[in-house]
Amino acid sequence: MIENDGQRFRFSEAPVWEWQRAYYEQQGMQAWTDNQVPQYITSNPMIATAYAEMIFGFLQDLAAKGQTSETVTILELGAGVGRLAFQIVTKLCELRDYAAITLPSFRYVMTDLAADNVTGWRNHPSMQPLIQQGLLDFAQFDAMQDTELNLTVAGTVIRPGELGQPILIIANYFFDSIPQELIYVGEGQIFECDVTISNADVSTNLQPNEMLKNMELSYAYRPAPEYSKPDFPYRDVISLYQEELEDSHILFPAAGIACLERLETLSQSGFVLITADKGDHRLDHWKFAEPPEFVLHGSFSLTANYHAIQHVFEQRGAYVRFTSHHYKDLNIGCMLMVEEPISYVNIRLAYMREIERFGPDDFFSIKEWFDHQLSRMELKQLLPFWRLGKYDAEFLIHSAQRISDLLPEASDEEMLDIQHGIQMMWSSYYTMDQMGDIAFLAGQLLNEMGLYEDAKHFLELALEADGVKRSSAVLYDLAVCCYELELENEALSYTREVLVMEPDHEEACSLLQSLES
């Protein structure tokens, strides 16, 4: 049964935040791999490339200022399953190596509240080359209170004032998931919105996600004169809300702003923030706003108040950009809280190219449409879309059958582009539970195109990923590849293994006869 059932809480101190915290601590990385918490929209190669381009621009700006001697720390808050971090670092290395210019070195630090996530990243097979190159480190970090970073690989601590370069912070689905205040503006006055939580399910020992699913909320309002006091740290933005809004509920990100302020103290030179969330930076969004809607996905998320964050830091001299057009699913912003932010030309240009003109939110909208049009598309549409999405493995999962159907009419150039796409996809693939399926799809397509050596490589990866469970479909395709490559002993072995599993497998029986004759 819910603790304190019916008790009234200040919104930021309600039990829902404890349940949120407990959920992530209990689930660890399973929260994302089980598709409970959304992660694709902020973890695909499209957004990783956009972020890498902005970070690369930032490194170029520092180099132009002669600041190349000290390493730049890139800090991701709530790094989730780790897919975004891996792809950003991979693509950033590609840009660095291709440009071959003098840049400051960088170190990407993944953080999370859950210690098990930190351990999972450090032991993840895809991370090992990056760790060995000194490009990747990890830290357990509590966004509500921590003031330093304990790096697990380097074994060092980053304390306030120790960084000479500005720290670059990445915060995706972060500000909407940590405690927020809830205030109400009415007749020019500020009220605190307290919440009462009751539970329709009176059974005991409910898990955090069950508590969230079964909760019932009601709100009560009380005057909050503390927000209007001259010494309230965010008085300017509160005054704006009093003047401009009426009958409006506002989620106020005091904890998120305080977290940025604490992270800012780590550096002597300020910070840069790249952030994406379900949240708005326009004041009009908060006009006549109803009480917040809890979006449940194992945990929960609310709407991030980017307007307050932007206003607070702009008052201190920050340069902040969000798109001039309205977002649909993901609002992406860039903040330069540094000295003379306008002089950081390359990162500002990268934001224009990668976010403003056409960005990850636009791509995600098109991808939703694309998924429904797949059966009517030809290779001349499929392959450019795959390139647009930076050779995402998700594309192959959805499109492999359609590509297979189109192969008989494919030109040599199109088949070479498919082969190239598979190689590009795999070069930045982050190992997850789907690895075996993706490798099998790649192997099947290459096999159908007669690229048997490449196909054999991917089919062996699929077989290895299966572990104890060896798929007869993978084994048969491997047998065919080995037969075509004149590796008769291997072909015979794989064929016999298929027939042990499926004695009536007609194709395998026929192949066995050919091999034995």
Side-chain angles (χ1 to χ4, degrees):
M1 184 169 68
I2 186 172
E3 295 182 7
N4 304 308
D5 191 7
Q7 183 178 339
R8 182 167 159 177
F9 298 93
R10 183 176 183 175
F11 189 78
S12 63
E13 298 171 358
V16 293
W17 304 107
E18 297 175 15
W19 303 336
Q20 175 100 310
R21 185 184 185 113
Y23 172 80
Y24 284 112
E25 288 180 333
Q26 288 178 14
Q27 294 293 317
M29 294 178 72
Q30 205 69 25
W32 291 274
T33 55
D34 282 353
N35 292 320
Q36 298 178 64
V37 180
Q39 55 95 12
Y40 174 79
I41 190 171
T42 55
S43 298
N44 60 71
M46 179 72 176
I47 193 170
T49 300
Y51 280 26
E53 290 280 359
M54 286 190 281
I55 297 168
F56 184 71
F58 176 62
L59 298 179
Q60 287 178 290
D61 288 326
L62 293 176
K65 296 173 181 293
Q67 298 173 214
T68 58
S69 59
E70 185 176 333
T71 298
V72 173
T73 297
I74 304 165
L75 179 73
E76 185 180 353
L77 297 171
V81 76
R83 186 180 179 191
L84 178 68
F86 171 78
Q87 292 180 339
I88 288 177
V89 177
T90 300
K91 295 180 184 303
L92 189 55
C93 288
E94 290 175 3
L95 291 170
R96 177 201 62 189
D97 296 343
Y98 186 84
I101 58 177
T102 300
L103 296 170
S105 58
F106 64 88
R107 167 184 54 192
Y108 196 108
V109 180
M110 301 170 63
T111 72
D112 202 273
L113 174 66
D116 286 349
N117 287 357
V118 176
T119 302
W121 300 327
R122 185 167 183 178
N123 295 331
H124 195 286
S126 294
M127 300 300 195
Q128 302 315 303
L130 303 180
I131 294 171
Q132 292 163 12
Q133 295 173 62
L135 298 173
L136 195 60
D137 214 320
F138 316 95
Q140 187 178 4
F141 182 75
D142 187 340
M144 299 302 295
Q145 61 183 24
D146 285 350
T147 58
E148 56 188 33
L149 295 170
N150 291 273
L151 304 184
T152 63
V153 176
T156 57
V157 180
I158 300 177
R159 296 183 175 87
E162 291 190 349
L163 300 177
Q165 301 275 37
I167 184 171
L168 193 146
I169 303 164
I170 295 174
N172 287 351
Y173 283 143
F174 172 74
F175 295 107
D176 72 336
S177 300
I178 61 173
Q180 302 180 58
E181 307 298 339
L182 180 59
I183 60 176
Y184 173 79
V185 179
E187 299 181 355
Q189 301 297 313
I190 299 293
F191 297 86
E192 189 91 49
C193 296
D194 292 336
V195 61
T196 300
I197 305 176
S198 56
N199 202 320
D201 188 339
V202 296
S203 61
T204 59
N205 301 319
L206 291 177
Q207 294 298 309
N209 62 322
E210 297 172 318
M211 300 286 273
L212 291 168
K213 183 178 179 180
N214 291 314
M215 68 182 180
E216 297 177 352
L217 307 177
S218 59
Y219 295 94
Y221 305 88
R222 58 180 170 81
E226 63 271 21
Y227 286 94
S228 301
K229 291 181 178 179
D231 60 348
F232 182 70
Y234 314 120
R235 181 74 189 95
D236 287 346
V237 68
I238 293 297
S239 295
L240 180 64
Y241 292 158
Q242 286 179 279
E243 294 169 5
E244 300 292 334
L245 301 181
E246 177 62 31
D247 189 20
S248 302
H249 296 79
I250 304 163
L251 286 162
F252 193 79
I257 295 171
C259 177
L260 291 176
E261 291 172 336
R262 275 184 278 112
L263 290 173
E264 182 182 13
T265 67
L266 298 177
S267 170
Q268 304 166 27
S269 305
F271 71 91
V272 172
L273 172 68
I274 300 174
T275 180
D277 218 319
K278 180 188 68 175
D280 214 293
H281 59 285
R282 295 176 173 86
L283 184 61
D284 284 351
H285 174 84
W286 301 97
K287 288 183 177 179
F288 304 107
E290 297 291 330
E293 178 185 357
F294 282 70
V295 179
L296 302 180
H297 35 62
S299 60
F300 70 87
S301 59
L302 299 169
T303 299
N305 186 348
Y306 276 139
H307 175 270
I309 296 171
Q310 177 174 353
H311 190 279
V312 166
F313 285 99
E314 280 185 336
Q315 292 296 303
R316 293 179 46 197
Y319 172 92
V320 184
R321 280 297 307 272
F322 286 92
T323 59
S324 56
H325 57 269
H326 291 79
Y327 82 99
K328 180 181 179 293
D329 295 291
L330 196 66
N331 199 10
I332 301 176
C334 179
M335 178 192 296
L336 304 175
M337 188 64 221
V338 292
E339 187 176 351
E340 297 182 0
I342 203 69
S343 67
Y344 287 73
V345 175
N346 289 292
I347 185 173
R348 295 192 296 109
L349 285 172
Y351 182 89
M352 179 188 293
R353 290 192 305 267
E354 304 296 328
I355 308 298
E356 173 68 33
R357 288 178 177 169
F358 180 88
D361 183 58
D362 305 304
F363 174 76
F364 189 73
S365 296
I366 292 175
K367 183 183 179 303
E368 288 184 315
W369 169 85
F370 169 88
D371 289 343
H372 295 290
Q373 306 299 318
L374 187 58
S375 62
R376 292 183 284 182
M377 285 192 169
E378 303 295 325
L379 287 175
K380 65 180 181 180
Q381 290 99 33
L382 290 171
L383 295 179
F385 188 82
W386 199 12
R387 285 193 292 275
L388 179 65
K390 318 305 179 190
Y391 297 106
D392 186 9
E394 191 86 9
F395 171 91
L396 193 66
I397 292 173
H398 292 297
S399 305
Q401 184 57 57
R402 179 59 180 166
I403 294 173
S404 176
D405 293 341
L406 294 170
L407 281 180
E409 303 300 323
S411 67
D412 291 342
E413 291 82 1
E414 286 172 330
M415 286 197 281
L416 285 172
D417 285 345
I418 294 169
Q419 180 189 24
H420 174 71
I422 290 171
Q423 291 168 347
M424 293 295 294
M425 174 198 72
W426 201 257
S427 68
S428 61
Y429 178 69
Y430 182 67
T431 303
M432 294 179 68
D433 291 344
Q434 295 172 314
M435 175 182 172
D437 295 336
I438 293 169
F440 181 39
L441 291 173
Q444 278 187 314
L445 288 174
L446 292 164
N447 189 14
E448 290 175 32
M449 291 189 291
L451 300 169
Y452 300 114
E453 190 168 338
D454 284 357
K456 182 174 181 289
H457 169 69
F458 281 98
L459 292 168
E460 287 171 342
L461 289 174
L463 201 61
E464 181 182 342
D466 279 341
V468 177
K469 181 184 175 183
R470 293 167 73 86
S471 164
S472 61
V474 177
L475 289 166
Y476 175 72
D477 281 0
L478 266 171
V480 171
C481 287
C482 291
Y483 176 81
E484 296 292 347
L485 292 169
E486 299 182 359
L487 301 172
E488 295 180 2
N489 289 335
E490 288 186 61
L492 195 59
S493 176
Y494 286 131
T495 305
R496 286 172 174 166
E497 192 170 352
V498 173
L499 291 172
V500 168
M501 299 170 68
E502 297 184 33
D504 297 329
H505 195 296
E506 293 182 7
E507 293 86 351
C509 289
S510 177
L511 181 58
L512 181 63
Q513 290 178 356
S514 298
L515 286 164
E516 289 180 338
S517 63

